[in-house]
Amino acid sequence: MSHRPTSAAPHLRRLVELLAAGAPADELGAVAAEARRAGVDARDLAEVEGATEAALRVRNTLRQHRRRETELTALFDTAGDLAALRDLDAVLRSIVRRARMLLGTDTAYLTLADEEAGDTYMRVTDGSVSELFQNLRLQLGEGLGGLVAQTARPYASPDYRTDGRFLHTGSIDAGVLDEGLVAILGVPLLLGSGSGGQVIGALFAADRTPRTFAPEEVALLCSLADHAAIAIDTARTMADARLALAELAEANAVIREHSAAMQRAAESHDRLTDLVLRGGDVSDVAAAVAGLLKGEVAVHDGAGWPLTSTGGHGGGGTDGREHPAGAEETTAVERAARVEKAAGAEETAGAEKAAGVETAGAEEAAALVAAAESSRATAHAVFRDGRWVCAVLAGQELLGCLVLYGRPELDDPDRRLFERSSVVTSLLLLLRRSVAETENRVRGDLITDLLTAPDRDPAGLVARGRRLGIDLDRPHFLLVARAGDAARERLADAAVQYLFGCGGVSAVHEGAAVLLLPCDGTGPGTAARAAAGQLGRLAGVPVTVAGAGPAAGPRAIADAHAEGVRCLRAMHVLGRDGGGACAAELGFVGVLLGDDHDVDGFVAATLGPLLEYDAQRGTQLVRTLRAYFGCGGSLTRAKEELHVHVNTVVQRLDRIHALLGPGWNTPEQTLELQLALRLHLLSGG
């Protein structure tokens, strides 16, 4: 039986499979030995050995290509970093890290030239563990790095510590020794090419064991060094560009500011012009200015009291309308009601002082008037207490002020815009005042007819009132106000301003201002006190106001006026000028002057605490007080009439003192008490 030689085909296929799998060189070389053992004939064996050599060459070529691909990928990534350069240090760290990875060294580092010091310093390190090494500085010509920087050529040393080609210094050798470096490769960072190139630093790769660096490794590190030089140069160029842009921006700031000012001025002009043409009011001005200046705006009258506001400053009323001058979140009547509630039964002036009601508002108003006067004097808006204030003028008359909140910094264009807005505000305030005065004159004729001849044509008067927007069948308070003769005209103007927007009307009748305003749930005394305070501020002089009502219908309103006139006269006799009250608040005088003659109310108001105390405890304080007055203030005669000990009389009088207050035995109070005791006795008490 003859022996048939083994074919070479399986071994050739094995070579291809190993090559495709990336097998190591020893496995490829073992294929020829396997073919020899398998008895492949000489000719086929030669083919297998030739194919093995070719496979080894292909393997080496592929390995070189993969290494080159890795290097190119790293270079492309570095180029991408340069294209998106934002942080120079981050780019340099990436380059140094890639140099260490691609060359497979223990460490890599980059030095830069310090032009002022004339040496080089460590900028970035990767893989370094020695602080001494990381802080090395090299003079030109010293060590391997100094030589690279001086000659602009790459240098490599397989063992730097024994290499005599370099100038060794104590500091450099100590740093290299502390880091444990042996083999070092350094290449220059060059800007420009040829003899005119500038060395700005060096890039290094180093091992802690002896090593010879291949030419392709030197070339790779040079490529990375070129990228690092480009990154540094780009960063410097960008810094110069940023500086140039900053200078350009500064140069264009005036142009941009002027353009913005022109744009804002045009916008404000259009908006305010459109506002006036559409018949806008002061509240519309405030809203428009607030929108233009991005803040909150309030408008105040000449006395500093708020007319309207776009936010929490100043005050519009709770019903959404603009209240008359002096309104602040609530009407003046409602504020006076709070005064009475706080002060109890004390006299009005004393109650306001004790309770401190409106004190803060008055101080705020005074501060705004002072700021507005300063604005008028300087002809510009002024900054006071965290807000901008601009006077609203009609000639030299201070109509009010425009106040801007929320803008502590106001540049010149916005400031001029704010000042121009005050001119529009003054026009609208003058227009509003003119319209109000015209309307009030027409309505004033109705009031005059109502007070002089209420019974001539009651139905006709009611119909006239409705045509003028006044429902005479609705309950009204009637106020009679008087100031000095010299201020009579100012008082009439102040009454018009005070009633603007609240549905009331005023007229001058028999030398006094008469105000008719809808009831608001308080009382005529409260309404009189509110009017006295506000009219006094608007007119600039003390104003005395008497209140009457509620009254509905022509005859009742005329009777209320008569009662108000009597009350006003009595207030003057009693020395209560400059305040406000109604007849019911004048004690026994009010009982005599009032149309209803409320005897029971007067007795209850005067003797109420004593009557309540006697009813609850079964005491005889009222009888004791009557006996005390009846005996001319004699304790001895009073105790005999009461059939008690004199000490009992004294104790009862002490209790009366505690209940009625320290002024119970003053002449004025004594008169009211004796009248109340007599009326109480006559009524069966």
Side-chain angles (χ1 to χ4, degrees):
M1 184 176 180
S2 62
H3 179 70
R4 186 175 181 178
T6 302
S7 172
H11 301 285
L12 294 175
R13 185 167 57 251
R14 174 65 175 166
L15 280 173
V16 173
E17 291 174 350
L18 291 174
L19 188 62
D26 55 350
E27 291 187 20
L28 291 173
V31 173
E34 292 176 358
R36 191 178 296 108
R37 287 194 299 271
V40 177
D41 60 39
R43 190 179 61 179
D44 288 343
L45 182 60
E47 288 290 334
V48 171
E49 290 175 346
T52 299
E53 293 177 359
L56 288 172
R57 289 195 301 272
V58 169
R59 178 184 178 279
N60 290 334
T61 301
L62 289 175
R63 186 177 64 178
Q64 292 175 358
H65 285 174
R66 281 193 291 270
R67 185 181 66 185
R68 185 60 179 166
E69 181 182 358
T70 301
E71 294 173 354
L72 289 175
T73 299
L75 292 175
F76 285 142
D77 290 343
T78 303
D81 291 341
L82 293 177
L85 178 63
R86 292 183 178 86
D87 184 350
L88 176 62
D89 286 339
V91 173
L92 295 181
R93 284 194 298 270
S94 176
I95 291 173
V96 171
R97 189 180 306 111
R98 286 178 182 137
R100 179 188 175 200
M101 176 189 69
L102 293 175
L103 272 68
T105 56
D106 295 324
T107 184
Y109 50 97
L110 183 147
T111 63
L112 290 181
D114 187 337
E115 296 180 359
E116 293 184 0
D119 60 5
T120 61
Y121 65 96
M122 292 285 184
R123 176 66 181 268
V124 182
T125 64
D126 188 76
S128 173
V129 295
S130 169
E131 183 177 354
L132 178 62
F133 180 77
Q134 295 168 11
N135 291 296
L136 274 180
R137 299 186 73 93
L138 289 75
Q139 298 291 332
L140 292 179
E142 293 181 350
L144 187 149
L147 191 59
V148 169
Q150 184 179 46
T151 62
R153 294 174 54 191
Y155 281 91
S157 174
D159 188 348
Y160 172 78
R161 290 175 292 185
T162 61
D163 198 331
R165 292 178 298 162
F166 309 108
L167 177 60
H168 292 264
T169 66
S171 60
I172 296 176
D173 288 351
V176 170
L177 179 63
D178 193 54
E179 187 64 56
L181 299 182
V182 176
I184 302 175
L185 167 63
V187 298
L189 272 62
L190 285 170
L191 289 181
S193 59
S195 59
Q198 177 188 2
V199 179
I200 60 173
L203 178 62
F204 300 87
D207 258 338
R208 295 187 175 91
T209 56
R211 171 178 174 173
T212 299
F213 291 96
E216 60 268 20
E217 293 176 323
V218 176
L220 175 61
L221 196 61
C222 286
S223 297
L224 292 173
D226 290 341
H227 283 84
I230 293 172
I232 295 171
D233 186 51
T234 302
R236 289 177 178 176
T237 303
M238 290 177 65
D240 293 339
R242 282 193 294 269
L243 179 60
L245 287 174
E247 293 175 351
L248 181 62
E250 184 177 354
N252 290 334
V254 176
I255 298 176
R256 289 198 303 270
E257 182 179 349
H258 179 71
S259 176
M262 293 293 292
Q263 182 177 357
R264 285 195 298 271
E267 181 183 0
S268 64
H269 175 78
D270 292 342
R271 290 185 63 176
L272 295 177
T273 301
D274 181 64
L275 185 152
V276 174
L277 293 177
R278 287 188 293 104
D281 206 342
V282 177
S283 59
D284 299 315
V285 172
V289 176
L292 290 169
L293 296 180
K294 305 299 186 294
E296 293 183 5
V297 174
V299 182
H300 293 249
D301 64 14
W305 294 92
L307 296 175
T308 188
S309 171
T310 62
H313 303 281
T318 56
D319 59 359
R321 70 162 188 254
E322 289 183 17
H323 287 300
E328 185 177 2
E329 296 184 351
T330 56
T331 64
V333 174
E334 291 167 340
R335 291 202 307 276
R338 293 201 301 267
V339 173
E340 284 201 296
K341 185 176 180 181
E346 297 181 18
E347 292 190 26
T348 304
E352 290 181 344
K353 184 176 180 180
V357 176
E358 296 190 81
T359 300
E363 292 177 353
E364 173 75 0
L368 284 174
V369 171
E373 291 291 352
S374 178
S375 172
R376 176 165 63 175
T378 61
H380 291 290
V382 296
F383 189 71
R384 294 287 187 278
D385 301 325
R387 64 204 169 186
W388 288 94
V389 180
C390 187
V392 177
L393 303 172
Q396 289 302 311
E397 180 185 359
L398 181 64
L399 298 179
C401 60
L402 204 61
V403 185
L404 174 64
Y405 299 89
R407 288 291 305 275
E409 298 294 334
L410 204 61
D411 55 21
D412 287 342
D414 283 348
R415 184 171 176 175
R416 289 193 295 270
L417 191 159
F418 181 54
E419 292 167 352
R420 282 195 295 268
S421 302
S422 70
V423 177
V424 177
T425 305
S426 66
L427 292 175
L428 291 178
L429 287 178
L430 283 173
L431 177 62
R432 186 175 77 165
R433 187 168 72 179
S434 176
V435 171
E437 290 173 349
T438 302
E439 291 180 349
N440 197 71
R441 279 195 296 271
V442 176
R443 293 178 175 182
D445 295 339
L446 171 65
I447 297 300
T448 301
D449 294 343
L450 186 64
L451 299 182
T452 55
D455 299 323
R456 181 181 304 166
D457 183 12
L461 291 173
V462 171
R464 284 175 58 191
R466 287 175 178 167
R467 286 195 298 271
L468 296 175
I470 305 171
D471 186 1
L472 296 178
D473 288 332
R474 176 185 175 185
H476 285 75
F477 290 135
L478 190 135
L479 308 180
V480 184
R482 190 182 296 275
D485 292 338
R488 184 175 300 173
E489 185 175 346
R490 278 185 288 163
L491 176 58
D493 292 339
V496 174
Q497 295 181 54
Y498 178 70
L499 293 178
F500 184 82
C502 72
V505 62
S506 67
V508 176
H509 184 69
E510 296 179 350
V514 179
L515 294 81
L516 187 68
L517 63 159
C519 295
D520 60 356
T522 57
T526 300
R529 279 185 291 281
Q534 297 295 346
L535 292 175
R537 278 188 282 267
L538 292 171
V541 294
V543 177
T544 308
V545 181
R555 168 45 58 190
I557 292 174
D559 292 341
H561 173 258
E563 180 179 328
V565 171
R566 294 194 299 270
C567 180
L568 188 68
R569 189 180 304 116
M571 291 176 67
H572 176 67
V573 173
L574 295 174
R576 297 180 64 170
D577 291 332
C582 63
E585 297 170 341
L586 298 183
F588 74 92
V589 176
V591 174
L592 299 175
L593 298 176
D595 290 335
D596 54 0
H597 301 293
D598 185 9
V599 175
D600 291 338
F602 170 69
V603 171
T606 307
L607 298 176
L610 304 184
L611 293 171
E612 183 179 355
Y613 194 88
D614 284 347
Q616 291 178 353
R617 293 171 173 77
T619 55
Q620 298 184 22
L621 297 183
V622 174
R623 180 168 176 261
T624 300
L625 186 60
R626 187 185 302 121
Y628 176 73
F629 285 142
C631 296
S634 171
L635 297 177
T636 303
R637 291 170 56 193
K639 66 99 175 174
E640 292 174 354
E641 181 175 333
L642 295 170
H643 305 291
V644 296
H645 194 275
V646 68
N647 290 341
T648 303
V649 178
V650 172
Q651 292 172 359
R652 291 179 181 178
L653 292 177
D654 288 341
R655 176 59 60 185
I656 292 171
H657 178 89
L659 293 173
L660 297 182
W664 71 275
N665 56 355
T666 60
E668 181 180 352
Q669 189 72 7
T670 297
L671 179 59
E672 292 201 8
L673 286 171
Q674 292 188 60
L675 179 58
L677 288 169
R678 183 61 57 88
L679 293 173
H680 179 252
L681 184 62
L682 292 174
S683 64

